Amino acid sequence: MVVTPQGNHMTPVKPPSGAAGAVATTATSPLTKKDGKLAKVRRGTPTRSAAARRRDLPVALLLIIPSVVGFLIFYAYPTFRGIYLSFTDFHVLSPPNWVGLANLREMIHDDVFWHSLWVTVYFVILSVVFGTLVSLVTAVVLHRVTRSSALRGVILLPFLISNVIAALVWQWMLDPQLGIIDMALQHLTGHSIDFFGSGNWAIPALAAISVWKWMGYYALLIFAGLQTIPPTIYEAGRVDGAGEWQMFRRLTVPLLRPILVMVVVLTVINSFQVFDIVQVTTKGGPANASNVLQMYIYNKAFSQFDFGYAATMSLALFALLIAVTFTQLRLARANESDLN
Amino acid sequence: MAVTLAPTRNGQRPSSPSRSRKLSPGRIVAWTYLAVVVVITLFPFYWILRTALSNNYLLASHPSSPLPVGFTWGAFERALGIASPAQAQAQGGSGASLDIPLYLRNSVIYATSQTVLIVLFSSAGAYAFSRLHWRGRNLVFNVLISALMVPGVFMLLPNFVLIKDLGLTDTFGGLILPGGLFQAFTLFFLRQFMLGLSSEIEEAAIIDGAGPVRIFFRIVLPMSSAPIATVSLLMFVNAWNDYFWPLLVTSSQNVQPLTLALGVFKQSSPTAAPDWAGLMAAALIAALPMLLLFLAFGKRIVNSIGFSGIK
């Protein structure tokens, strides 16, 4: 998904078209400034003979066998089969039964599905807004005051542990009887909140876990982006008398736009697929309050063995992800950086 | 995309945009903010340790004590299954034993073999897609990379059905193969690096009569050791922390990895008074390899983030 805008960057040379094309393309390909690195690599190759190329082919085919086989069996085939299954009535034990759009019709009239979609969107909005905000502020502050890679390492720590552990420890800290956060709440406000047992708090609590887990990762992505902004731009801003806040708003944020868009897109994609932390803590409860789409799909498939319907919902989620991502990329013009 | 270039620039920036090293009010606010972030980041880790070293019965009477309550290694003994049932129940455990060492072994097999396979196959593929010249190379590469477009979640169900058809459910083969043969990200990551290698050494080797296979093993692989190490780390962490796929394809404790065991452990402890100490001890054991990797390779992981953002 994120790779699409890079298409031109990845394939500066078009696949050879004619018989003589193999030699000709490398020599005549238009080399833009961006492809300078590749140009250097290729400079030596035009001298290689067509014979060497023919000798490369069998070895190349041998080396890509595992990748191609893996792609065909575990990516291409399941993708098409998933689309096919979504039009069938399929309960694993008996072969799939073509039912056309029946699953789709069921989905449109399924209140639980719409509720799940809403719950998921709520989770995504909370995760994206707070996650991006906290990551951005953390990255900018880090970049302004310290070069310490140890500190950057520390904030990355939650990213390295599994969702399951993150969910368990937060559930323990938020426990309505013995949790340390709940003790603090009782101390401060006088009453306690059963975060995972309450319909209103389950999704915000799950989003908080997700933000805690991913904040450091996104902050480091933004930090890497900050490092590509030339310091001279800030010096110029300072000469023009811009204050700290003005420079953040007028220089940092616009120049970071491509990376901010990427962080938002990644957060949206990841959040729509949330499952682990829900499965460990609430299992979708209480009363479907945290029944995110992925949880509902899982239960349909593995508790009720309704694989056809589960596949339909997966397909809907897939279509939704593509639509949302393309809209975001389009709205934000992610390809363009103001830096060039 | 600018971010792909970020790691090579780390630390090479001559000056930071910071205005002065003086302790201005702005810097105090900034450091206070960072201190709060660090505390929120690290506190749960401390709380895991503090709870794991506590006696589960006594936890209930001193829930807000900052130090372990009734210090004991009992929780770890329960998690590792070396406490006797009577002993376990006396400390608030369930008495049900859970074979953590077995799950640990499964996690090691799963994460290690998947990492070795995917890195080996991806570097072989990356070499063919970057250093060898053959017709259709870029076309095939672009087709493979299109896998990045399809979210993993969409392929879970059909892949599960496929593994079931192949009779591989609840085997390491079914667990490892889907992510062990091909992952678009590793292939793309390694190919991007190999494209940038200088061809001079390679040409010298060709003049000396070395074939492509020899060049791959003797020249390109050693020269790519840094990105291979990075991608291996990322793949290992991913596999170690994986939960959803193992949940679908495994059902017995001979194959299930640790992440699933934590769920089992939680369910086996009484819901009215859960064995939080034992649970946190088990979580700590499960997280320990990641924490050790972090201590050993933290800097490499941190610097890899700029690149892996394309994931």
Side-chain angles (χ1 to χ4, degrees), chain B residues 114-129:
Chain B
Q114 188 169 71
T115 305
V116 168
L117 287 179
I118 190 64
V119 170
L120 181 73
F121 293 150
S122 296
S123 32
Y127 172 67
F129 285 120

Side-chain angles (χ1 to χ4, degrees), chain A residues 161-183:
Chain A
I161 61 162
S162 65
N163 287 321
V164 177
I165 295 175
L168 284 177
V169 65
W170 279 96
Q171 194 180 19
W172 162 225
M173 295 198 304
L174 294 171
D175 186 83
Q177 272 135 36
L178 302 172
I180 181 70
I181 294 177
D182 199 72
M183 301 308 287

